[in-house]
Amino acid sequence: MKIQTYPGPEDIVLDPSTSKRIIMSCTKRKRKKNLSGRLQYYDTGSSKNAATDYNILDYPLQKLRPHGIFATLIGGKATLYVISHEEEDKILVFEIKDKQLIFKREYSAKDYPKLQGANDLFVLEDGTILFTANKESFTTDIGFANGMVGQIDPANDFKILIDRLRFANGIYVHNGELFVTETYSGRLMRYAFSSGQINMPGDVAAKIKGGDNISLHTSGLVIAGHLNLFRFFCMAFIIK
Amino acid sequence: MRSPCRISVFEMKSGMVISSYESNGEEISAGSTGLSVGDHLYIGQVFRDYLLKV
C-alpha cells in the first residue's frame, strides 16, 4: 500500500508519545534550485492513505529543508530533532504536541561548523546529540573518507567521536554500542560507547550494501540499503 | 530511472543479517528508511512522494 506524502520522505520515525504515529521528513529535491520541505505525520491505525502536514509553530516553514530526524522523550516531553539544510545546516528542536510542532531551539553550523553536511542523528536520554556529517554532498564525496560522527552534549560542548568514515549515514545507539552505516564501503560499523566516549577502533558488525538510515526492531536494527549506487546517483541528477 | 533497495535486519545477538524486503526499484525506488510498526514495515524514500507499507 502506498501512502501519499510530500515528495522525498527520506527519514521516518515513531512519535514516542503514541508509538502509532509515524513522523516523516520530506524534502523535494531539485537540482540547482531552492529546495522545499515538510514535516508530516501518518497514523498507522488510519484508513487514510495520505500523510498530513504538522502545524509548525514559531519557525518559518519556507526555510525548512529536513533530512535526518529523531524523536524521543526528553524530560518526559516528546521531542523531535531535525537536521535542516538551510543557508547553513542546522539541528532544529521541536516539542511534539499532538499535531503541532513547537519550535524550541536550534544548533547552527554558524556555531558548530562541523554540522555542515549533517545527515542523520540520534539523541540520548540526557539530550546529548550524536550526528553524522560529511564534508561533501552524497554525489561528490565518493571515494573519500570524509565522514564523521560528532557529539553536542547538554553543556553545548562539541567534539568529534569518529572520523574518516566513508560517507557516514545512519546512526543508532543501543545497549552501549554505537552503530553507523558507511554508504560507500557498505559497512555497518560498531563502536563501544559509554559516557560520551568511544572505544576505538570499531569493528565491522555487518556488510550492508549502500547502508542508509537505521531504526530499531525487537530483534535488531532495521537498515535500508541502496543496492546500486550508480543508479542512485543517476536519480539524484535527473530529478528536476 | 529506478534505484533498487533492500531493507535488512541486523540481529545483534547472532550478528546475522536477514533481508526483510527488496525492490528492484519498481515498487519503491531509493528506499532510505525501514520502520517496523506492528506487523508492518514502512519504507521511506529519497525522491518520490509516498511511503510504502508492506
Side-chain angles (χ1 to χ4, degrees):
Chain A
M1 172 182 161
K2 291 179 179 178
I3 298 162
Q4 205 67 37
T5 68
Y6 192 78
E10 195 271 344
D11 200 2
I12 54 177
V13 298
L14 272 181
D15 180 340
S17 59
T18 72
S19 294
K20 290 181 180 174
R21 176 172 290 167
I22 293 173
I23 304 170
M24 62 201 83
S25 69
C26 308
T27 291
K28 191 173 186 177
R29 289 163 168 82
K30 295 179 181 177
R31 287 185 67 209
K32 298 178 181 176
K33 286 188 177 178
N34 200 20
L35 310 185
S36 58
R38 295 282 189 281
L39 291 165
Q40 296 190 307
Y41 65 87
Y42 176 75
D43 289 323
T44 57
S46 167
S47 57
K48 289 170 51 182
N49 62 353
T52 306
D53 285 349
Y54 270 106
N55 182 19
I56 297 177
L57 302 183
D58 303 328
Y59 197 81
L61 179 62
Q62 65 271 22
K63 289 174 67 177
L64 193 65
R65 188 188 154 194
H67 190 168
I69 57 175
F70 189 80
T72 190
L73 295 174
I74 299 289
K77 293 182 177 176
T79 306
L80 180 67
Y81 293 78
V82 180
I83 289 171
S84 187
H85 298 301
E86 302 176 12
E87 277 187 39
E88 60 279 333
D89 288 352
K90 294 176 178 176
I91 294 173
L92 309 175
V93 185
F94 298 92
E95 184 180 344
I96 305 166
K97 284 266 193 180
D98 193 22
K99 297 170 183 175
Q100 292 186 330
L101 298 177
I102 304 163
F103 176 70
K104 291 297 175 185
R105 67 165 296 180
E106 68 179 34
Y107 302 84
S108 168
K110 273 186 183 170
D111 303 314
Y112 300 94
K114 294 292 185 183
L115 262 179
Q116 202 64 32
N119 186 304
D120 193 20
L121 76 173
F122 186 95
V123 182
L124 304 178
E125 282 181 354
D126 67 355
T128 296
I129 300 169
L130 309 168
F131 64 93
T132 56
N134 299 281
K135 277 185 186 168
E136 304 290 341
S137 73
F138 188 80
T139 49
T140 57
D141 202 42
I142 191 163
F144 298 100
N146 285 330
M148 53 149 275
V149 173
Q151 172 179 284
I152 301 172
D153 67 21
N156 297 321
D157 291 328
F158 168 80
K159 69 177 177 183
I160 295 174
L161 293 179
I162 306 164
D163 61 4
R164 299 189 55 74
L165 293 168
R166 294 189 61 200
F167 203 86
N169 202 323
I171 181 169
Y172 210 91
V173 176
H174 187 67
N175 285 345
E177 294 181 318
L178 187 154
F179 295 87
V180 188
T181 53
E182 274 188 324
T183 306
Y184 290 145
S185 69
R187 301 188 302 183
L188 174 66
M189 297 301 298
R190 172 172 52 195
Y191 304 84
F193 176 68
S194 64
S195 304
Q197 301 292 327
I198 283 282
N199 287 343
M200 295 287 281
D203 71 324
V204 180
K207 294 290 283 184
I208 304 286
K209 198 166 188 178
D212 203 320
N213 292 326
I214 306 172
S215 66
L216 187 64
H217 181 259
T218 49
S219 64
L221 301 176
V222 181
I223 305 168
H226 305 287
L227 300 181
N228 185 327
L229 288 177
F230 177 73
R231 293 183 75 86
F232 185 83
F233 292 148
C234 288
M235 282 197 75
F237 279 106
I238 64 171
I239 289 289
K240 301 261 188 274
Chain B
M1 176 66 74
R2 293 169 181 147
S3 177
C5 57
R6 179 187 293 145
I7 307 297
S8 305
V9 176
F10 170 65
E11 295 191 338
M12 283 177 278
K13 281 187 181 173
S14 67
M16 289 178 62
V17 176
I18 297 166
S19 175
S20 62
Y21 174 83
E22 188 167 326
S23 172
N24 63 5
E26 191 167 335
E27 192 170 38
I28 191 163
S29 181
S32 51
T33 312
L35 182 68
S36 178
V37 184
D39 295 331
H40 295 284
L41 177 67
Y42 293 81
I43 303 171
Q45 60 173 315
V46 179
F47 302 109
R48 308 292 186 210
D49 60 354
Y50 61 91
L51 291 184
L52 185 68
K53 178 184 177 183
V54 181

